[in-house]
């Protein structure tokens, strides 16, 4: 049941539309700034898709204060600043999880900002409230299959300090669109904010769970997908890299569980780095092909591949 990977050196004719704003991430540990970097789901996903030469269009908005050089030029808004997030970490045992705050927010992406063309795959990957219900509906109209990261739909922000909280999908304006999307991705922390049993009747639901890997829920079955071992330095963007790997696998002809395994691989690489990860093309070649260009060998011997990846990174 495992499908052999296609040769990634052959250009693909599939086209992806990725919608979500770039942002500026500030990591703060014990009240000390330890890193500042380009952020936003679109930046992590583009690192994966660009590395695999997957043709994609990106629709993102930034302010005139945007200071980063990126491969995909964003729309510059004259009326708002670039979205900024502060992620707070602590060494205290009782405060291991990060506290995320949105400090500023750029303009949302409007339906009129989207291209007047059709796409095979669409990814709605907002992080700061930039995906509107009408924008997602337009994506559904122009894309054959739409992937939605649930954080784009259920995040709300404290009006005083910008702390990120979550609300149930039923409390948003996105609920009626659930029946029209192809894939819904959620973390284990986000999954309680959607009725997974109901959602899986209409779309494929993928729930990521860090070092435990992920689970794929379809209408008829639940499939666990093995993780890759990783030393976590910064969890920021791991879910985004996972989604990029999942889509990349499907573009290149893998079935859903194997594509999710590829997503787990990119997620494991991301947590081991601070900020936007760098993906060495050699890692991709080893993972996809390994000794005899067989996807099956990689699937059944993930630990060995992980050790070879770590060797190259060192």
């Amino acid at each position: 049941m495992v499908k052999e990977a296609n040769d990634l050196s052959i250009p693909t004719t599939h086209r992806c539309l990725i919608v979500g704003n770039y942002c500026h991430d500030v990591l703060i540990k014990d009240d000390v700034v330890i890193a500042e970097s380009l952020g936003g789901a679109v930046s992590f996903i583009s690192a994966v898709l660009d590395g695999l030469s997957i043709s994609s269009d990106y629709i993102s908005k930034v302010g005139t204060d945007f200071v980063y050089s990126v491969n995909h030029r964003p729309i510059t808004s004259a009326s708002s600043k670039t979205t900024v997030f502060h992620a707070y970490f602590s060494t205290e045992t009782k405060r291991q999880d990060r506290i995320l705050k949105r400090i500023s927010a750029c303009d949302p992406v409007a339906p009129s900002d989207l291209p007047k063309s059709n796409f095979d795959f669409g990814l709605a990957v907002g992080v700061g409230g930039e995906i509107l219900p009408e924008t997602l509906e337009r994506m559904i109209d122009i894309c054959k299959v739409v992937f939605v990261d649930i954080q784009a739909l259920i995040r709300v922000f404290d009006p005083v300090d910008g702390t990120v909280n979550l609300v149930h999908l039923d409390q948003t304006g996105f609920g009626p669109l659930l029946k029209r999307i192809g894939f819904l991705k959620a973390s284990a922390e986000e999954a309680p904010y959607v009725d997974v049993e109901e959602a899986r009747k209409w779309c494929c639901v993928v729930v990521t769970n860090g070092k435990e890997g992920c689970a794929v829920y379809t209408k008829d079955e639940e499939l666990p997908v093995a993780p890759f071992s990783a030393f976590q330095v910064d969890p920021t963007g791991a879910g985004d890299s996972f989604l990029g790997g999942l889509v990349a696998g499907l573009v290149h002809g893998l079935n859903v569980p194997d594509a999710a395994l590829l997503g787990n691989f990119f997620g494991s690489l991301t947590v081991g780095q601070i900020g936007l990860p760098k993906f060495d093309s050699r890692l991709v070649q080893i993972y996809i092909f390994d000794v005899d260009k067989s996807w099956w060998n990689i699937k059944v011997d993930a630990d060995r591949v992980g050790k070879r990846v770590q060797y190259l990174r060192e």
Side-chain angles (χ1 to χ4, degrees):
M1 296 298 293
V2 177
K3 193 171 185 177
E4 185 174 354
N6 294 336
D7 188 342
L8 299 189
S9 65
I10 301 175
T12 176
T13 57
H14 292 80
R15 300 176 65 211
C16 298
L17 173 66
I18 295 89
V19 180
N21 287 350
Y22 288 110
C23 65
H24 177 64
D25 285 344
V26 181
L27 276 61
I28 303 169
K29 187 173 184 179
D30 296 332
D31 299 322
V32 177
V33 174
I34 60 173
E36 298 187 41
S37 68
L38 172 68
V42 64
S43 62
F44 289 90
I45 290 172
S46 64
V48 176
L49 299 186
D50 288 351
L52 296 177
S53 301
I54 295 176
S55 175
S56 305
D57 286 10
Y58 294 80
I59 305 299
S60 304
K61 286 188 175 180
V62 298
T64 56
D65 58 339
F66 189 68
V67 297
Y68 298 99
S69 176
V70 294
N71 292 333
H72 307 280
R73 186 176 180 179
I75 300 169
T76 300
S77 170
S79 60
S80 63
K81 294 183 178 181
T82 300
T83 300
V84 175
F85 280 97
H86 286 184
Y88 294 85
F89 298 85
S90 174
T91 54
E92 296 179 26
T93 303
K94 64 181 180 179
R95 290 182 55 207
Q96 287 297 312
D97 295 334
R98 67 176 181 173
I99 297 174
L100 192 62
K101 296 184 178 183
R102 187 186 68 176
I103 306 304
S104 63
C106 197
D107 293 334
V109 178
S112 58
D113 295 318
L114 302 183
K116 292 180 172 59
S117 56
N118 296 318
F119 296 84
D120 292 313
F121 299 97
L123 285 72
V125 290
V127 292
E130 67 268 31
I131 303 293
L132 305 173
E134 56 266 34
T135 304
L136 178 56
E137 185 171 22
R138 178 58 181 160
M139 290 183 66
I140 293 170
D141 290 339
I142 64 176
C143 301
K144 292 179 181 177
V145 181
V146 172
F147 298 73
V148 177
D149 190 331
I150 199 171
Q151 70 178 1
L153 313 184
I154 64 172
R155 278 186 172 182
V156 293
F157 309 92
D158 187 280
V160 177
D161 66 1
T163 298
V164 177
N165 292 297
L166 305 176
V167 297
H168 199 278
L169 184 64
D170 291 343
Q171 297 177 251
T172 73
F174 294 98
L177 297 174
L178 187 62
K179 296 180 180 181
R180 299 179 60 196
I181 67 173
F183 288 79
L184 182 68
K185 175 257 172 189
S187 68
E189 293 76 21
E190 295 163 340
Y193 294 88
V194 61
D195 186 341
V196 173
E197 290 304 312
E198 180 65 22
R200 68 191 291 189
K201 297 176 183 178
W202 310 105
C203 63
C204 180
V205 180
V206 182
V207 178
T208 60
N209 194 19
K211 64 181 181 180
E212 302 300 323
C214 68
V216 176
Y217 298 86
T218 65
K219 183 178 180 179
D220 300 317
E221 58 184 342
E222 174 185 347
L223 301 170
V225 180
F228 283 87
S229 59
F231 178 75
Q232 180 170 299
V233 177
D234 175 18
T236 304
D240 307 319
S241 295
F242 167 86
L243 186 56
L246 171 68
V247 173
L250 294 175
V251 167
H252 284 291
L254 297 179
N255 59 34
V256 174
D258 288 350
L261 184 63
L262 183 60
N264 283 346
F265 174 71
F266 280 106
S268 71
L269 292 182
T270 299
V271 300
Q273 306 177 53
I274 294 179
L276 191 65
K278 295 179 176 61
F279 298 126
D280 190 317
S281 61
R282 294 174 299 168
L283 306 186
V284 177
Q285 290 294 327
I286 286 175
Y287 183 69
I288 297 296
F289 299 125
D290 199 39
V291 177
D292 64 355
K293 301 184 185 297
S294 169
W295 174 261
W296 174 249
N297 276 356
I298 308 305
K299 183 177 176 62
V300 300
D301 203 359
D303 286 342
R304 179 168 58 87
V305 175
K307 291 176 182 178
R308 293 179 63 184
V309 165
Q310 183 63 35
Y311 172 78
L312 282 177
R313 289 179 58 184
E314 293 174 348

